Amino acid sequence: MDALSIGSTAAVSAIRSFDQAAARTVRDAAPSSTPSPNGIGGNGDLVSDFVQQIQAQAAFQASVSVIKTADQMTGRLLDVKA
């Protein structure tokens, strides 16, 4: 696999992870009849949801960096060949 396909595949995966974590955040923050252990009033662990969103964001940024670097390398290679 080349760097562009690796970067784009990783970026798509990071977007999916972020979307899933965001959906869990919404679900977990919804009011429930029983209090949650974290005291916020939802059903789940909002802290874990936010951490997963931050991790997905960092993974996406790293993937974009891979894509940018591969693009720059290809451009420089074409400049050398020209």
Side-chain angles (χ1 to χ4, degrees):
M1 285 181 94
D2 66 304
L4 288 175
S5 62
I6 292 170
S8 61
T9 301
V12 169
S13 176
I15 290 169
R16 284 190 189 127
S17 295
F18 183 88
D19 287 346
Q20 291 170 353
R24 278 193 305 276
T25 301
V26 171
R27 184 193 65 226
D28 293 346
S32 68
S33 59
T34 59
S36 69
N38 60 15
I40 296 176
N43 296 332
D45 185 7
L46 291 175
V47 174
S48 294
D49 297 338
F50 285 129
V51 167
Q52 289 173 356
Q53 288 178 30
I54 292 168
Q55 288 173 335
Q57 181 183 12
F60 180 80
Q61 289 171 339
S63 299
V64 169
S65 294
V66 168
I67 293 168
K68 285 181 182 179
T69 302
D71 183 53
Q72 289 172 350
M73 290 173 61
T74 303
R76 289 186 182 147
L77 178 64
L78 292 174
D79 289 343
V80 168
K81 288 206 157 232

